[in-house]
Amino acid sequence: MKQVVYTASPESQQIHAWQLQEDGALTLLQVTDVAGQVQPMVVSPKKDFLYVGVRPNFRVLAYRIAADGTLSEAGEAPLPGSPTHISTDRQGNFLFCGSYNDACVSISPIGSDGLPQAPSQVIGGLEGCHSANIDVKNQTLFVPALKQDRICLFQLGNDGSLTPAAQAQVTTVEGAGPRHMAFHPNGNYSYCVNELDSSVDVWALSNAHGEVERVQSLNMMPADFSGTRWAADIHLTPDGRFLYACDRTSSTITVFSVSEDGGLLNIEGFQPTETQPRGFNIDNSGKYLVAAGQKSHHIEVYKISDDRGLLTPLARYAVGQGPMWVVIHSLG
């Protein structure tokens, strides 16, 4: 499996593309200069474009992905606010953008040519909107509003419209600050990292009453941690066996094992990592994790153990300034 790692460095306005070797080593393929502070990124489900959110002129850039993983700019479209998180539906027909500063989520059609268009709908009133996450069934969009301690639920229509779900929201513990989410491949559970108390919530997506319900909440920090909690990102291995979440103050990645049905987490260990890990990701084979240090200006590659999911550092690499987003793309 040939894979490419993309890292976004907003302070130097660059995207680095790295080839991920079978042994976990990285080889630099390309450095792309971006006209603006590049932050959130996502690869299209059809694997032909990398979509990138840029500020201060709020827009999404579309880069065509060549057969070797290198990028060429193909188009752009406006966004209604500063892009904090971008994602697509699972068919690649629509692009979602969550904006923390502008308290909104938007949906933009993606044309048959793969290029995003201007937003067709903007939903406001989402204070601290930090991500937009479509479920495995491609039906419900989960939108955490960090400052309101709630996750709003929207139904995705075939025409790309978003309407409040019958269960319009779920709430977290007060002061938790829901931020980013991941979904178990069986579609029955999701996991949300909470920024302000560095906890992880497990949500059953359909309980006995057909409702979304929190079934577990775990403190993700070591017992002796006494600093300010500041969690950031969360990702699950493709097979659903291991979950990872990072905290920026302690520069730590917490390792969780996941029960077979996806409904229960257990902390396996803690991995020190690059300074202020704002973003990380897991490769498509589930063998490697790549973390970016926003203050170290490096990325580090870890091997994931088969038994407990613990991380073994392999190598670190200098990237642009302030790296904060990592995307891993499978070629072919």
Side-chain angles (χ1 to χ4, degrees):
M1 178 188 298
K2 292 185 177 181
Q3 298 184 86
V4 175
V5 177
Y6 299 108
T7 57
S9 301
E11 293 176 22
S12 55
Q13 301 183 16
Q14 294 173 314
I15 301 171
H16 285 65
W18 307 80
Q19 184 172 338
L20 177 62
Q21 309 292 345
E22 289 295 328
D23 62 358
L26 296 181
T27 302
L28 184 62
L29 290 175
Q30 181 188 34
V31 179
T32 301
D33 294 322
V34 180
Q37 296 177 10
V38 52
Q39 294 194 355
M41 304 187 296
V42 67
V43 173
S44 65
K46 298 176 184 177
K47 300 183 179 182
D48 50 356
F49 285 95
L50 178 72
Y51 302 126
V52 177
V54 176
R55 65 179 192 181
N57 296 321
F58 308 145
R59 62 200 192 279
V60 57
L61 306 181
Y63 287 91
R64 194 178 304 279
I65 301 174
D68 63 353
T70 56
L71 304 173
S72 59
E73 191 171 345
E76 65 176 65
L79 291 172
S82 178
T84 304
H85 182 278
I86 60 172
S87 59
T88 72
D89 77 303
R90 295 183 182 270
Q91 297 175 355
N93 296 323
F94 308 104
L95 181 135
F96 310 111
C97 176
S99 177
Y100 179 92
N101 291 333
D102 295 276
C104 67
V105 65
S106 63
I107 182 168
S108 302
I110 297 174
S112 58
D113 57 1
L115 300 181
Q117 303 169 8
S120 57
Q121 186 180 5
V122 180
I123 299 172
L126 303 168
E127 296 296 327
C129 179
H130 222 298
S131 62
N133 313 272
I134 196 70
D135 68 351
V136 172
K137 297 179 181 178
N138 207 45
Q139 296 176 347
T140 305
L141 187 71
F142 289 70
V143 183
L146 184 148
K147 294 182 180 181
Q148 296 169 330
D149 291 321
R150 63 175 181 152
I151 302 173
C152 299
L153 281 58
F154 299 94
Q155 291 301 116
L156 175 63
N158 292 332
D159 61 352
S161 61
L162 293 175
T163 56
Q167 183 183 6
Q169 67 177 37
V170 293
T171 57
T172 66
V173 171
E174 184 176 355
R179 180 180 169 99
H180 287 181
M181 300 183 70
F183 291 89
H184 195 277
N186 67 17
N188 295 328
Y189 294 92
S190 67
Y191 315 94
C192 183
V193 63
N194 299 308
E195 175 178 326
L196 303 181
D197 69 358
S198 290
S199 65
V200 173
D201 290 335
V202 180
W203 295 93
L205 301 185
S206 182
N207 65 11
H209 304 287
E211 297 178 334
V212 177
E213 177 187 20
R214 185 173 61 248
V215 294
Q216 187 184 19
S217 186
L218 276 177
N219 172 17
M220 60 178 268
M221 302 305 294
D224 60 353
F225 179 77
S226 59
T228 300
R229 292 166 181 257
W230 199 27
D233 207 2
I234 188 167
H235 291 281
L236 185 72
T237 53
D239 60 10
R241 294 179 59 209
F242 304 113
L243 182 77
Y244 302 85
C246 62
D247 178 87
R248 287 168 284 183
T249 300
S250 62
S251 299
T252 301
I253 298 173
T254 304
V255 181
F256 303 87
S257 57
V258 184
S259 63
E260 188 172 351
D261 69 350
L264 184 67
L265 302 180
N266 183 64
I267 293 178
E268 295 291 341
F270 305 94
Q271 176 64 48
T273 189
E274 295 293 321
T275 306
Q276 196 165 302
R278 166 60 176 76
F280 70 94
N281 221 315
I282 297 167
D283 85 307
N284 296 282
S285 71
K287 294 179 180 179
Y288 302 107
L289 184 150
V290 181
Q294 195 171 6
K295 295 299 184 182
S296 71
H297 315 298
H298 280 69
I299 57 175
E300 189 162 11
V301 182
Y302 301 87
K303 183 173 177 57
I304 298 173
S305 71
D306 290 332
D307 52 352
R308 297 173 56 200
L310 298 177
L311 301 175
T312 301
L314 296 181
R316 59 195 301 262
Y317 304 83
V319 289
Q321 297 297 293
M324 61 183 295
W325 213 270
V326 180
V327 170
I328 304 180
H329 167 57
S330 179
L331 296 174

mmCIF file of all heavy atoms in Angstrom, residues 19-57:
data_model
loop_
_atom_site.group_PDB
_atom_site.id
_atom_site.type_symbol
_atom_site.label_atom_id
_atom_site.label_comp_id
_atom_site.label_asym_id
_atom_site.label_seq_id
_atom_site.Cartn_x
_atom_site.Cartn_y
_atom_site.Cartn_z
ATOM 1 N N GLN A 19 6.113 10.734 1.316
ATOM 2 C CA GLN A 19 5.788 9.343 1.022
ATOM 3 C C GLN A 19 6.060 8.511 2.266
ATOM 4 O O GLN A 19 7.140 8.578 2.855
ATOM 5 C CB GLN A 19 6.606 8.805 -0.147
ATOM 6 C CG GLN A 19 6.207 7.370 -0.524
ATOM 7 C CD GLN A 19 6.867 6.894 -1.803
ATOM 8 O OE1 GLN A 19 7.296 7.693 -2.630
ATOM 9 N NE2 GLN A 19 6.958 5.595 -1.971
ATOM 10 N N LEU A 20 5.062 7.733 2.671
ATOM 11 C CA LEU A 20 5.190 6.853 3.827
ATOM 12 C C LEU A 20 5.658 5.488 3.350
ATOM 13 O O LEU A 20 4.942 4.794 2.620
ATOM 14 C CB LEU A 20 3.849 6.744 4.562
ATOM 15 C CG LEU A 20 3.784 5.794 5.762
ATOM 16 C CD1 LEU A 20 4.746 6.226 6.853
ATOM 17 C CD2 LEU A 20 2.357 5.711 6.303
ATOM 18 N N GLN A 21 6.865 5.115 3.761
ATOM 19 C CA GLN A 21 7.430 3.833 3.345
ATOM 20 C C GLN A 21 6.826 2.695 4.174
ATOM 21 O O GLN A 21 6.212 2.910 5.222
ATOM 22 C CB GLN A 21 8.952 3.858 3.525
ATOM 23 C CG GLN A 21 9.636 5.059 2.908
ATOM 24 C CD GLN A 21 9.594 5.072 1.385
ATOM 25 O OE1 GLN A 21 9.288 4.048 0.767
ATOM 26 N NE2 GLN A 21 9.903 6.201 0.775
ATOM 27 N N GLU A 22 7.013 1.471 3.702
ATOM 28 C CA GLU A 22 6.453 0.306 4.382
ATOM 29 C C GLU A 22 6.994 0.149 5.802
ATOM 30 O O GLU A 22 6.312 -0.382 6.681
ATOM 31 C CB GLU A 22 6.747 -0.964 3.579
ATOM 32 C CG GLU A 22 5.965 -1.082 2.276
ATOM 33 C CD GLU A 22 4.465 -1.212 2.508
ATOM 34 O OE1 GLU A 22 4.068 -1.791 3.534
ATOM 35 O OE2 GLU A 22 3.689 -0.721 1.672
ATOM 36 N N ASP A 23 8.213 0.648 6.054
ATOM 37 C CA ASP A 23 8.809 0.523 7.381
ATOM 38 C C ASP A 23 8.512 1.727 8.272
ATOM 39 O O ASP A 23 9.044 1.830 9.374
ATOM 40 C CB ASP A 23 10.317 0.308 7.282
ATOM 41 C CG ASP A 23 11.039 1.487 6.611
ATOM 42 O OD1 ASP A 23 10.364 2.454 6.184
ATOM 43 O OD2 ASP A 23 12.285 1.434 6.515
ATOM 44 N N GLY A 24 7.662 2.665 7.784
ATOM 45 C CA GLY A 24 7.293 3.838 8.563
ATOM 46 C C GLY A 24 8.147 5.062 8.320
ATOM 47 O O GLY A 24 7.862 6.134 8.864
ATOM 48 N N ALA A 25 9.204 4.933 7.520
ATOM 49 C CA ALA A 25 10.040 6.088 7.202
ATOM 50 C C ALA A 25 9.306 7.031 6.250
ATOM 51 O O ALA A 25 8.461 6.597 5.457
ATOM 52 C CB ALA A 25 11.356 5.634 6.582
ATOM 53 N N LEU A 26 9.642 8.320 6.327
ATOM 54 C CA LEU A 26 9.039 9.321 5.447
ATOM 55 C C LEU A 26 10.086 9.879 4.492
ATOM 56 O O LEU A 26 11.231 10.138 4.884
ATOM 57 C CB LEU A 26 8.451 10.479 6.259
ATOM 58 C CG LEU A 26 7.279 10.172 7.196
ATOM 59 C CD1 LEU A 26 6.823 11.436 7.896
ATOM 60 C CD2 LEU A 26 6.124 9.544 6.428
ATOM 61 N N THR A 27 9.682 10.071 3.239
ATOM 62 C CA THR A 27 10.530 10.693 2.229
ATOM 63 C C THR A 27 9.785 11.910 1.685
ATOM 64 O O THR A 27 8.634 11.791 1.249
ATOM 65 C CB THR A 27 10.824 9.723 1.074
ATOM 66 O OG1 THR A 27 11.443 8.544 1.586
ATOM 67 C CG2 THR A 27 11.738 10.377 0.046
ATOM 68 N N LEU A 28 10.430 13.076 1.720
ATOM 69 C CA LEU A 28 9.771 14.300 1.276
ATOM 70 C C LEU A 28 9.545 14.274 -0.234
ATOM 71 O O LEU A 28 10.481 14.054 -1.010
ATOM 72 C CB LEU A 28 10.600 15.521 1.661
ATOM 73 C CG LEU A 28 9.985 16.881 1.344
ATOM 74 C CD1 LEU A 28 8.680 17.088 2.111
ATOM 75 C CD2 LEU A 28 10.974 18.002 1.664
ATOM 76 N N LEU A 29 8.294 14.493 -0.637
ATOM 77 C CA LEU A 29 7.929 14.527 -2.051
ATOM 78 C C LEU A 29 7.824 15.943 -2.593
ATOM 79 O O LEU A 29 8.235 16.226 -3.724
ATOM 80 C CB LEU A 29 6.575 13.829 -2.267
ATOM 81 C CG LEU A 29 6.487 12.322 -2.114
ATOM 82 C CD1 LEU A 29 5.031 11.883 -2.251
ATOM 83 C CD2 LEU A 29 7.342 11.641 -3.179
ATOM 84 N N GLN A 30 7.246 16.839 -1.790
ATOM 85 C CA GLN A 30 6.900 18.151 -2.320
ATOM 86 C C GLN A 30 6.612 19.110 -1.164
ATOM 87 O O GLN A 30 6.093 18.713 -0.117
ATOM 88 C CB GLN A 30 5.648 18.027 -3.206
ATOM 89 C CG GLN A 30 5.165 19.307 -3.865
ATOM 90 C CD GLN A 30 3.816 19.112 -4.552
ATOM 91 O OE1 GLN A 30 2.981 18.355 -4.076
ATOM 92 N NE2 GLN A 30 3.617 19.779 -5.674
ATOM 93 N N VAL A 31 6.966 20.382 -1.365
ATOM 94 C CA VAL A 31 6.545 21.457 -0.471
ATOM 95 C C VAL A 31 5.750 22.450 -1.303
ATOM 96 O O VAL A 31 6.258 22.986 -2.294
ATOM 97 C CB VAL A 31 7.740 22.154 0.204
ATOM 98 C CG1 VAL A 31 7.244 23.281 1.111
ATOM 99 C CG2 VAL A 31 8.574 21.168 0.992
ATOM 100 N N THR A 32 4.495 22.672 -0.924
ATOM 101 C CA THR A 32 3.614 23.568 -1.656
ATOM 102 C C THR A 32 3.387 24.839 -0.854
ATOM 103 O O THR A 32 2.944 24.783 0.300
ATOM 104 C CB THR A 32 2.255 22.894 -1.929
ATOM 105 O OG1 THR A 32 2.463 21.700 -2.691
ATOM 106 C CG2 THR A 32 1.314 23.821 -2.682
ATOM 107 N N ASP A 33 3.708 25.986 -1.454
ATOM 108 C CA ASP A 33 3.437 27.269 -0.818
ATOM 109 C C ASP A 33 1.985 27.652 -1.057
ATOM 110 O O ASP A 33 1.472 27.536 -2.177
ATOM 111 C CB ASP A 33 4.358 28.348 -1.377
ATOM 112 C CG ASP A 33 5.818 28.105 -1.013
ATOM 113 O OD1 ASP A 33 6.072 27.647 0.119
ATOM 114 O OD2 ASP A 33 6.695 28.362 -1.861
ATOM 115 N N VAL A 34 1.317 28.101 -0.007
ATOM 116 C CA VAL A 34 -0.107 28.420 -0.055
ATOM 117 C C VAL A 34 -0.289 29.913 0.199
ATOM 118 O O VAL A 34 0.364 30.484 1.084
ATOM 119 C CB VAL A 34 -0.894 27.609 0.991
ATOM 120 C CG1 VAL A 34 -2.378 27.938 0.930
ATOM 121 C CG2 VAL A 34 -0.663 26.115 0.780
ATOM 122 N N ALA A 35 -1.175 30.540 -0.546
ATOM 123 C CA ALA A 35 -1.457 31.966 -0.376
ATOM 124 C C ALA A 35 -2.426 32.151 0.784
ATOM 125 O O ALA A 35 -3.615 32.411 0.597
ATOM 126 C CB ALA A 35 -2.021 32.561 -1.658
ATOM 127 N N GLY A 36 -1.921 31.991 1.986
ATOM 128 C CA GLY A 36 -2.754 32.131 3.175
ATOM 129 C C GLY A 36 -2.359 31.100 4.218
ATOM 130 O O GLY A 36 -1.520 30.221 3.979
ATOM 131 N N GLN A 37 -2.954 31.211 5.387
ATOM 132 C CA GLN A 37 -2.681 30.296 6.488
ATOM 133 C C GLN A 37 -3.494 29.026 6.292
ATOM 134 O O GLN A 37 -4.705 29.008 6.493
ATOM 135 C CB GLN A 37 -3.031 30.960 7.821
ATOM 136 C CG GLN A 37 -2.184 32.174 8.130
ATOM 137 C CD GLN A 37 -2.603 32.851 9.407
ATOM 138 O OE1 GLN A 37 -3.403 32.321 10.173
ATOM 139 N NE2 GLN A 37 -2.076 34.036 9.653
ATOM 140 N N VAL A 38 -2.825 27.975 5.890
ATOM 141 C CA VAL A 38 -3.482 26.696 5.611
ATOM 142 C C VAL A 38 -3.686 25.957 6.925
ATOM 143 O O VAL A 38 -2.772 25.850 7.732
ATOM 144 C CB VAL A 38 -2.659 25.874 4.611
ATOM 145 C CG1 VAL A 38 -1.214 25.744 5.058
ATOM 146 C CG2 VAL A 38 -3.258 24.501 4.415
ATOM 147 N N GLN A 39 -4.923 25.487 7.147
ATOM 148 C CA GLN A 39 -5.213 24.807 8.403
ATOM 149 C C GLN A 39 -5.900 23.461 8.167
ATOM 150 O O GLN A 39 -5.220 22.479 7.912
ATOM 151 C CB GLN A 39 -6.001 25.737 9.331
ATOM 152 C CG GLN A 39 -5.161 26.943 9.769
ATOM 153 C CD GLN A 39 -5.761 27.699 10.922
ATOM 154 O OE1 GLN A 39 -6.846 27.428 11.391
ATOM 155 N NE2 GLN A 39 -5.041 28.691 11.405
ATOM 156 N N PRO A 40 -7.236 23.364 8.220
ATOM 157 C CA PRO A 40 -7.828 22.026 8.091
ATOM 158 C C PRO A 40 -7.703 21.474 6.680
ATOM 159 O O PRO A 40 -7.730 22.212 5.691
ATOM 160 C CB PRO A 40 -9.298 22.261 8.473
ATOM 161 C CG PRO A 40 -9.552 23.690 8.137
ATOM 162 C CD PRO A 40 -8.265 24.401 8.420
ATOM 163 N N MET A 41 -7.573 20.152 6.584
ATOM 164 C CA MET A 41 -7.453 19.474 5.298
ATOM 165 C C MET A 41 -8.263 18.185 5.339
ATOM 166 O O MET A 41 -8.440 17.584 6.395
ATOM 167 C CB MET A 41 -5.998 19.127 4.974
ATOM 168 C CG MET A 41 -5.027 20.276 4.985
ATOM 169 S SD MET A 41 -3.372 19.800 4.388
ATOM 170 C CE MET A 41 -2.879 18.598 5.638
ATOM 171 N N VAL A 42 -8.714 17.753 4.158
ATOM 172 C CA VAL A 42 -9.371 16.454 4.029
ATOM 173 C C VAL A 42 -9.195 15.965 2.594
ATOM 174 O O VAL A 42 -9.206 16.768 1.654
ATOM 175 C CB VAL A 42 -10.867 16.533 4.413
ATOM 176 C CG1 VAL A 42 -11.665 17.385 3.417
ATOM 177 C CG2 VAL A 42 -11.481 15.150 4.541
ATOM 178 N N VAL A 43 -9.004 14.661 2.430
ATOM 179 C CA VAL A 43 -8.939 14.050 1.101
ATOM 180 C C VAL A 43 -10.340 13.641 0.690
ATOM 181 O O VAL A 43 -11.114 13.119 1.501
ATOM 182 C CB VAL A 43 -8.004 12.824 1.097
ATOM 183 C CG1 VAL A 43 -8.069 12.091 -0.240
ATOM 184 C CG2 VAL A 43 -6.566 13.255 1.380
ATOM 185 N N SER A 44 -10.685 13.882 -0.564
ATOM 186 C CA SER A 44 -12.001 13.505 -1.063
ATOM 187 C C SER A 44 -12.176 11.992 -1.023
ATOM 188 O O SER A 44 -11.203 11.246 -1.169
ATOM 189 C CB SER A 44 -12.185 14.003 -2.500
ATOM 190 O OG SER A 44 -11.274 13.349 -3.367
ATOM 191 N N PRO A 45 -13.414 11.510 -0.815
ATOM 192 C CA PRO A 45 -13.640 10.060 -0.805
ATOM 193 C C PRO A 45 -13.189 9.362 -2.083
ATOM 194 O O PRO A 45 -12.831 8.182 -2.052
ATOM 195 C CB PRO A 45 -15.155 9.952 -0.607
ATOM 196 C CG PRO A 45 -15.526 11.187 0.128
ATOM 197 C CD PRO A 45 -14.632 12.259 -0.453
ATOM 198 N N LYS A 46 -13.194 10.081 -3.190
ATOM 199 C CA LYS A 46 -12.749 9.502 -4.460
ATOM 200 C C LYS A 46 -11.234 9.546 -4.609
ATOM 201 O O LYS A 46 -10.692 9.082 -5.613
ATOM 202 C CB LYS A 46 -13.427 10.231 -5.613
ATOM 203 C CG LYS A 46 -14.949 10.096 -5.596
ATOM 204 C CD LYS A 46 -15.615 10.917 -6.690
ATOM 205 C CE LYS A 46 -17.131 10.832 -6.594
ATOM 206 N NZ LYS A 46 -17.814 11.677 -7.609
ATOM 207 N N LYS A 47 -10.555 10.130 -3.615
ATOM 208 C CA LYS A 47 -9.096 10.159 -3.517
ATOM 209 C C LYS A 47 -8.406 10.950 -4.624
ATOM 210 O O LYS A 47 -7.224 10.742 -4.896
ATOM 211 C CB LYS A 47 -8.530 8.727 -3.482
ATOM 212 C CG LYS A 47 -9.035 7.890 -2.318
ATOM 213 C CD LYS A 47 -8.390 6.520 -2.299
ATOM 214 C CE LYS A 47 -8.878 5.687 -1.112
ATOM 215 N NZ LYS A 47 -8.224 4.367 -1.049
ATOM 216 N N ASP A 48 -9.143 11.876 -5.239
ATOM 217 C CA ASP A 48 -8.535 12.636 -6.326
ATOM 218 C C ASP A 48 -8.230 14.082 -5.978
ATOM 219 O O ASP A 48 -7.533 14.766 -6.727
ATOM 220 C CB ASP A 48 -9.414 12.580 -7.577
ATOM 221 C CG ASP A 48 -10.871 12.923 -7.302
ATOM 222 O OD1 ASP A 48 -11.227 13.137 -6.128
ATOM 223 O OD2 ASP A 48 -11.664 12.949 -8.258
ATOM 224 N N PHE A 49 -8.743 14.566 -4.823
ATOM 225 C CA PHE A 49 -8.493 15.947 -4.422
ATOM 226 C C PHE A 49 -8.158 16.028 -2.939
ATOM 227 O O PHE A 49 -8.661 15.242 -2.129
ATOM 228 C CB PHE A 49 -9.718 16.829 -4.693
ATOM 229 C CG PHE A 49 -9.925 17.170 -6.147
ATOM 230 C CD1 PHE A 49 -10.776 16.400 -6.927
ATOM 231 C CD2 PHE A 49 -9.260 18.242 -6.731
ATOM 232 C CE1 PHE A 49 -10.966 16.707 -8.262
ATOM 233 C CE2 PHE A 49 -9.450 18.557 -8.063
ATOM 234 C CZ PHE A 49 -10.304 17.786 -8.845
ATOM 235 N N LEU A 50 -7.320 17.006 -2.612
ATOM 236 C CA LEU A 50 -7.111 17.425 -1.236
ATOM 237 C C LEU A 50 -7.778 18.778 -1.080
ATOM 238 O O LEU A 50 -7.459 19.732 -1.796
ATOM 239 C CB LEU A 50 -5.613 17.536 -0.924
ATOM 240 C CG LEU A 50 -5.259 18.013 0.492
ATOM 241 C CD1 LEU A 50 -5.565 16.931 1.516
ATOM 242 C CD2 LEU A 50 -3.779 18.420 0.578
ATOM 243 N N TYR A 51 -8.734 18.867 -0.151
ATOM 244 C CA TYR A 51 -9.419 20.126 0.131
ATOM 245 C C TYR A 51 -8.778 20.759 1.356
ATOM 246 O O TYR A 51 -8.551 20.089 2.370
ATOM 247 C CB TYR A 51 -10.904 19.893 0.362
ATOM 248 C CG TYR A 51 -11.623 19.219 -0.791
ATOM 249 C CD1 TYR A 51 -12.369 18.068 -0.584
ATOM 250 C CD2 TYR A 51 -11.537 19.732 -2.080
ATOM 251 C CE1 TYR A 51 -13.038 17.446 -1.637
ATOM 252 C CE2 TYR A 51 -12.189 19.112 -3.143
ATOM 253 C CZ TYR A 51 -12.935 17.968 -2.914
ATOM 254 O OH TYR A 51 -13.583 17.361 -3.962
ATOM 255 N N VAL A 52 -8.519 22.057 1.266
ATOM 256 C CA VAL A 52 -7.754 22.759 2.284
ATOM 257 C C VAL A 52 -8.470 24.049 2.664
ATOM 258 O O VAL A 52 -8.819 24.845 1.799
ATOM 259 C CB VAL A 52 -6.337 23.089 1.746
ATOM 260 C CG1 VAL A 52 -5.555 23.894 2.763
ATOM 261 C CG2 VAL A 52 -5.601 21.813 1.383
ATOM 262 N N GLY A 53 -8.691 24.261 3.954
ATOM 263 C CA GLY A 53 -9.263 25.506 4.437
ATOM 264 C C GLY A 53 -8.179 26.529 4.694
ATOM 265 O O GLY A 53 -7.135 26.219 5.274
ATOM 266 N N VAL A 54 -8.406 27.784 4.234
ATOM 267 C CA VAL A 54 -7.390 28.835 4.300
ATOM 268 C C VAL A 54 -8.004 30.104 4.885
ATOM 269 O O VAL A 54 -9.177 30.410 4.657
ATOM 270 C CB VAL A 54 -6.816 29.128 2.893
ATOM 271 C CG1 VAL A 54 -5.832 30.289 2.929
ATOM 272 C CG2 VAL A 54 -6.129 27.893 2.331
ATOM 273 N N ARG A 55 -7.211 30.836 5.617
ATOM 274 C CA ARG A 55 -7.576 32.161 6.091
ATOM 275 C C ARG A 55 -6.367 33.083 5.932
ATOM 276 O O ARG A 55 -5.263 32.588 5.692
ATOM 277 C CB ARG A 55 -8.052 32.095 7.550
ATOM 278 C CG ARG A 55 -6.989 31.687 8.554
ATOM 279 C CD ARG A 55 -7.545 31.670 9.955
ATOM 280 N NE ARG A 55 -6.474 31.558 10.920
ATOM 281 C CZ ARG A 55 -6.647 31.501 12.236
ATOM 282 N NH1 ARG A 55 -7.859 31.533 12.734
ATOM 283 N NH2 ARG A 55 -5.627 31.420 13.055
ATOM 284 N N PRO A 56 -6.497 34.425 6.011
ATOM 285 C CA PRO A 56 -7.663 35.190 6.457
ATOM 286 C C PRO A 56 -8.743 35.388 5.396
ATOM 287 O O PRO A 56 -9.870 35.744 5.753
ATOM 288 C CB PRO A 56 -7.052 36.526 6.879
ATOM 289 C CG PRO A 56 -5.851 36.677 6.001
ATOM 290 C CD PRO A 56 -5.319 35.291 5.817
ATOM 291 N N ASN A 57 -8.430 35.248 4.131
ATOM 292 C CA ASN A 57 -9.479 35.320 3.103
ATOM 293 C C ASN A 57 -10.145 33.947 3.069
ATOM 294 O O ASN A 57 -9.661 33.030 2.419
ATOM 295 C CB ASN A 57 -8.883 35.680 1.739
ATOM 296 C CG ASN A 57 -8.263 37.064 1.733
ATOM 297 O OD1 ASN A 57 -8.813 37.983 2.339
ATOM 298 N ND2 ASN A 57 -7.124 37.220 1.080
#
